[in-house]
Amino acid sequence: MSPSRRILVALVAGLAAGALCARVPALAELPRLVAPVGQLWLRALQMTIIPLVVALVITGITSAAPSGMLGRQGARLIALFAGLLVTAGAFAMVIVQPMLVALPFPSDAGATFATTPAVAASAGGVSAWVDAVLPSNVVRAAAEGAMLPLVAFALLFALALTRVAPASRAPVTRFFRGLADAMLVLVGWVLQLAPFGVFAIAMQLVGSIGVAVGAVAYYLALNVVVMVLMLVLLYPMGARGAGVSLRAFAQALLPAQAIAATTRSSIASLPAMLDTARALGVRESTAGFVLPLAVALFRITTPPTVVISTIFAARFHGVALDLGMLVLLVLASAALSAGVVGVPGQASYFVTRLPMFAIAGVPLDLLGPLLAVDVIPDTFRTFGNVTADVAVTTLTESSARVPDAAPGVREEAAA
């Protein structure tokens, strides 16, 4: 049985056990006795997140410099990636907030999940915003678990490191790569215990089983709606870049999307994406440069799904997020997306969610149950990432304005 399936089984079993305890007085104390198991599991994850996130952000950005990716063309492409990542996170924020207001949401859903008091997460004006983003003391920020200033420092440090001579940069990069690898091994050990942690957390839903299941379905609906709306925007962007009709662009994408939906892996879809790019008239030189770089650094669906998870968990627990905090979450989600390159799926889930929850002041209790159902959003994420990678490739080709770079599908569309 796959790890994802084991976690899902643990979630269902935990909910069933909680329902049984709620109906049998002799078992009423069992959820309270099991609860520390879930809390220990969450704490084990928390202890890895600061060194892991800092190391991944630094290595994710500096890894491009030695390979020559940061030349003029590469720098422009990475700037495009960054702009689209921020735009995607902001798009999710704009869409999800009205949906949470318009659609019925179980207001008491978080009563049994919450293990820490909900607090209002507020940016508190420009002065507080600056204090929240830039640390005056990095060591103190790490000791206090202040994720946002740590991410900002790691981002600036990595950018500065790319300007250092390779001989000086290499040992620093190796250190952080080793730190990241060690933390990923530790996270892997903790994830082996995920079924036990998820089971224990789910049992805390005693007395609100129906509400909790409905809330998870609500979370899945938010993800699916936002991903579909993003696809609606990505198709015209890619079609315009390729100079073809929407229908022709969609037909050319189908093989790559089919592989993405079945494997949930952008890397596995790369050969099919290269074939799609050729069919859309993209030169080999452009496709060979843009697509591997996009697969490595550009995961357009990461910021939206991380923002959705954080906003949903905040609403679930009654944590207030003002506009300033939402902006910070969008920027942080874009920065974190660069750090999950090459990180296994379940580990990347926690690498992106844990810091965001910490930034927003949201309790962590929903992490396990949402991981159990993440296979559905993950399928849509890979589907969207593949579509965005091809769309960005056609846009890059279009910006080159090569007159004869449009055979194949483009001729068919013009016929």
Side-chain angles (χ1 to χ4, degrees):
M1 186 182 295
S2 67
S4 298
R5 193 166 296 178
R6 286 199 299 269
I7 295 172
L8 181 59
V9 170
L11 173 65
V12 174
L15 293 174
L20 179 64
C21 292
R23 288 169 173 77
V24 179
L27 301 176
E29 288 296 308
L30 188 57
R32 185 179 63 82
L33 297 175
V34 174
V37 175
Q39 296 308 306
L40 284 172
W41 180 68
L42 287 175
R43 285 182 178 274
L45 282 171
Q46 282 180 284
M47 75 179 181
T48 65
I49 201 63
I50 287 179
L52 178 58
V53 168
V54 170
L56 286 175
V57 169
I58 292 173
T59 55
I61 293 174
T62 57
S63 61
S67 60
M69 290 181 180
L70 294 182
R72 180 177 297 179
Q73 184 181 3
R76 285 199 301 265
L77 190 58
I78 291 172
L80 175 62
F81 290 167
L84 289 174
L85 289 171
V86 173
T87 301
F91 175 78
M93 178 191 74
V94 171
I95 295 297
V96 169
Q97 287 291 88
M99 287 180 65
L100 289 172
V101 174
L103 301 178
F105 190 89
S107 59
D108 60 341
T112 54
F113 254 123
T115 56
T116 57
V119 295
S122 173
V126 176
S127 178
W129 191 89
V130 172
D131 290 339
V133 175
L134 295 177
S136 59
N137 187 321
V138 177
V139 176
R140 185 177 66 185
E144 295 175 351
M147 288 305 309
L148 187 58
L150 285 175
V151 171
F153 171 78
L155 182 63
L156 294 173
F157 180 82
L159 291 173
L161 200 57
T162 62
R163 299 302 183 98
V164 175
S168 300
R169 180 175 62 238
V172 180
T173 303
R174 281 198 301 268
F175 168 78
F176 282 106
R177 171 52 61 192
L179 177 62
D181 290 344
M183 288 298 103
L184 284 173
V185 171
L186 185 54
V187 169
W189 292 345
V190 176
L191 288 177
Q192 292 294 320
L193 303 175
F196 301 100
V198 170
F199 177 86
I201 292 171
M203 284 190 69
Q204 297 178 56
L205 292 171
V206 176
S208 58
I209 298 298
V211 170
V213 172
V216 171
Y218 192 104
Y219 165 78
L220 293 176
L222 289 177
N223 275 275
V224 170
V225 168
V226 171
M227 289 299 106
V228 169
L229 291 176
M230 281 188 60
L231 284 172
V232 169
L233 298 177
L234 287 171
Y235 273 88
M237 184 175 79
R240 180 172 181 177
V244 301
S245 67
L246 283 173
R247 180 179 178 181
F249 182 74
Q251 287 178 339
L253 261 176
L254 281 177
Q257 290 175 331
I259 295 174
T262 53
T263 65
R264 292 188 289 133
S265 170
S266 296
I267 295 177
S269 307
L270 181 56
M273 283 193 280
L274 289 168
D275 289 339
T276 296
R278 295 187 196 102
L280 290 169
V282 178
R283 291 170 299 164
E284 294 280 350
S285 58
T286 302
F289 174 75
V290 177
L291 281 173
L293 191 59
V295 169
L297 300 178
F298 182 54
R299 299 184 179 184
I300 197 170
T301 60
T302 296
T305 51
V306 171
V307 168
I308 291 169
S309 299
T310 308
I311 293 177
F312 172 81
R315 179 66 181 270
F316 189 89
H317 285 293
V319 177
L321 302 176
D322 65 14
L323 180 59
M325 177 54 69
L326 290 171
V327 171
L328 291 178
L329 292 175
V330 169
L331 295 176
S333 68
L336 287 171
S337 68
V340 296
V341 176
V343 178
Q346 290 185 345
S348 67
Y349 172 90
F350 288 107
V351 169
T352 52
R353 270 67 169 188
L354 270 169
M356 295 288 284
F357 280 35
I359 291 169
V362 176
L364 304 179
D365 307 67
L366 275 177
L367 284 173
L370 295 186
L371 170 64
V373 298
D374 191 60
V375 62
I376 297 174
D378 190 41
T379 300
F380 281 88
R381 285 197 297 269
T382 311
F383 197 91
N385 286 337
V386 166
T387 304
D389 290 349
V390 174
V392 167
T393 304
T394 64
L395 284 177
T396 304
E397 177 70 8
S398 176
S399 66
R401 295 188 177 91
V402 178
D404 59 346
V409 173
R410 190 171 299 181
E411 293 176 358
E412 175 189 334

